[in-house]
């Protein structure tokens, strides 16, 4: 499953069946999140005097009967069972930042302390710059030195605030594991998309093959040459379908290998090490079949 990171909006890949407490990490900003099963107890809209919704609120039951009141950008149905993403580090850690409906793939961003704090990052940076400039003037430093110190201080302050807010995973070993997991989840997602695309092509091609076979067997078809063309077309399409089915099987087997290893890693808390060679072998076979299939698409009857 593919969403965007609630911190940096980079593509973020989730397992198809998230487990309670399972952790994921963003490959771009290195933020880390835990996935927690969540139930929407109650939800309502806050309206203006003109009955226009100004905000949406909800009560969530996350774990051990504890409830959280959250603010959302849009309405969420009460009674919904979903997955909550909670940051593991930085400002607002362990507070839900995003809800995901696994049935509809609906995403509900929450008004989180990290999002609210962005409003004050600029003011904080300007305040730091003003303090640095004031100190420089108090010490009678040259104007260019004072200005440079103010700019440098404001940039350093903004960077420090942003770094704290992002809550990047600092444990090198854990960060490597999360990034490796994201790489495998991305491959699984792409293979799943490719399988669905190829299955649609196969279904359409099988329908066409069946139609050609029926036409070639009808007594109303006049002329030996037309019958020969239909039979030849049916044979060519059947050859394509055979290659296409092998390609689908290879993609599906590669995806299954990744998914099984990731499920095993959840139990052992250690990423798989022995699947790289198997994945490379599958990738080589997939590339060969893709090339063969593309070449057959150019074949004329």
């Amino acid at each position: 499953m593919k969403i965007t990171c609630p911190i940096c909006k980079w593509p973020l890949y989730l397992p198809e069946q998230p487990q309670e407490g399972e952790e994921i990490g963003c490959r771009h900003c290195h933020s880390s999140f835990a996935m927690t099963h969540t139930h929407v107890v109650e939800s309502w809209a806050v309206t203006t005097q003109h009955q226009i919704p100004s905000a949406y609120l909800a009560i969530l039951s996350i774990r051990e009967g504890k409830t959280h009141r959250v603010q959302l950008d849009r309405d969420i149905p009460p009674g919904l069972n979903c997955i909550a993403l909670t940051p593991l580090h930085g400002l607002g850690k362990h507070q839900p930042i995003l809800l995901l409906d696994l049935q509809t793939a609906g995403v509900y961003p929450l008004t989180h302390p990290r999002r609210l704090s962005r409003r004050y990052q600029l003011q904080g940076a300007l305040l730091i710059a003003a303090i640095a400039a004031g100190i420089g003037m108090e010490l009678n430093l040259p104007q260019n030195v004072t200005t440079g110190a103010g700019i440098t201080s404001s940039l350093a302050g903004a960077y420090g605030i942003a770094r704290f807010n992002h809550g990047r995973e600092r444990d090198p070993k854990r960060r490597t594991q999360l990034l490796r997991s994201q790489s495998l989840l991305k491959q699984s997602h792409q293979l799943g998309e490719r399988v669905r695309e190829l299955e649609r092509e196969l279904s359409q091609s099988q329908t066409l093959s069946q139609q050609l076979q029926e036409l070639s067997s009808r007594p109303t078809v006049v002329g030996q040459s037309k019958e020969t063309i239909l039979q030849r077309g049916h044979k060519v399409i059947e050859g394509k379908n055979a290659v296409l089915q092998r390609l689908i099987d290879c993609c599906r087997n590669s995806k299954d290998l990744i998914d099984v290893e990731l499920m095993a890693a959840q139990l052992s808390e250690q990423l798989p090490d022995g699947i790289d060679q198997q994945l490379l072998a599958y990738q080589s076979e997939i590339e060969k079949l893709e090339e063969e299939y593309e070449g057959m698409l150019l074949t004329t009857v």
Side-chain angles (χ1 to χ4, degrees):
M1 185 176 297
K2 178 182 176 183
I3 61 172
T4 57
C5 173
I7 303 300
C8 68
K9 307 307 178 185
W10 194 262
L12 189 66
Y13 297 90
L14 278 63
E16 296 179 358
Q17 297 180 342
Q19 302 298 314
E20 177 71 23
E22 187 175 355
E23 298 178 10
I24 58 172
C26 176
R27 295 181 300 149
H28 185 253
C29 67
H30 291 179
S31 296
S32 55
F33 309 92
M35 292 181 285
T36 308
H37 292 288
T38 304
H39 177 73
V40 181
V41 179
E42 185 180 356
S43 65
W44 67 95
V46 179
T47 58
T48 64
Q49 59 180 353
H50 301 292
Q51 298 303 308
I52 299 175
S54 60
Y56 297 96
L57 302 176
I59 301 294
L60 306 179
S61 175
I62 296 184
R63 62 167 70 88
E64 300 174 356
K66 295 181 180 179
T67 58
H68 292 262
R69 177 171 170 167
V70 297
Q71 182 175 331
L72 303 92
D73 296 335
R74 60 190 179 96
D75 194 19
I76 186 171
L80 181 69
N81 292 312
C82 53
I83 290 291
L85 257 62
T86 58
L88 294 173
H89 305 281
L91 181 65
K93 66 179 180 179
H94 304 310
Q95 298 296 317
I97 192 172
L98 179 143
L99 300 178
L100 176 64
D101 182 355
L102 295 178
Q103 291 186 339
T104 64
V107 176
Y108 300 88
L110 306 181
T111 304
H112 189 269
R114 291 188 186 184
R115 297 178 64 195
L116 294 175
S117 70
R118 293 173 186 169
R119 303 174 186 176
Y120 307 107
Q121 287 184 16
L122 177 60
Q123 290 91 328
L126 292 176
L127 178 61
I128 293 173
I131 292 173
I135 293 174
M137 294 176 62
E138 186 71 24
L139 296 176
N140 295 320
L141 296 176
Q143 184 176 1
N144 60 339
V145 174
T146 302
T147 302
I151 294 174
T152 303
S153 300
S154 64
L155 292 175
Y159 174 78
I161 293 172
R163 187 178 178 86
F164 175 74
N165 287 349
H166 283 180
R168 301 177 67 174
E169 177 60 61
R170 296 182 180 180
D171 182 351
K173 182 178 179 180
R174 184 57 185 157
R175 183 169 63 244
T176 299
Q177 290 179 333
L178 293 176
L179 296 182
R180 167 67 170 157
S181 176
Q182 271 297 291
S183 178
L184 291 173
L185 285 168
K186 179 182 178 180
Q187 290 183 57
S188 176
H189 174 81
Q190 291 175 335
L191 287 166
E193 290 289 309
R194 185 58 176 151
V195 166
R196 285 186 285 273
E197 178 184 350
L198 293 173
E199 285 178 337
R200 287 192 296 268
E201 292 183 21
L202 179 60
S203 178
Q204 294 171 357
S205 185
Q206 288 174 335
T207 299
L208 177 58
S209 175
Q210 184 177 359
Q211 291 172 345
L212 288 177
Q213 187 177 26
E214 291 175 354
L215 282 174
S216 64
S217 62
R218 287 182 183 177
T220 54
V221 175
V222 180
Q224 181 66 28
S225 60
K226 181 178 288 190
E227 182 179 359
T228 302
I229 291 174
L230 291 172
Q231 290 174 345
R232 188 186 307 146
H234 174 260
K235 184 177 180 180
V236 169
I237 292 175
E238 284 297 293
K240 293 178 183 178
N241 291 350
V243 175
L244 187 52
Q245 185 62 62
R246 288 167 55 201
L247 178 56
I248 290 172
D249 292 341
C250 195
C251 289
R252 187 180 288 116
N253 290 339
S254 182
K255 174 177 167 49
D256 289 345
L257 172 64
I258 294 174
D259 293 343
V260 169
E261 291 293 340
L262 284 174
M263 289 179 63
Q266 293 172 12
L267 300 176
S268 63
E269 297 184 354
Q270 188 173 9
L271 282 172
D273 296 323
I275 68 169
D276 289 340
Q277 292 300 320
Q278 292 174 278
L279 288 177
L280 285 174
Y282 275 126
Q283 183 62 35
S284 177
E285 182 67 15
I286 289 172
E287 291 176 356
K288 185 176 72 173
L289 290 170
E290 290 272 17
E291 185 176 347
E292 182 178 354
Y293 177 60
E294 290 175 7
M296 296 185 76
L297 290 177
L298 302 176
T299 303
T300 57
V301 179

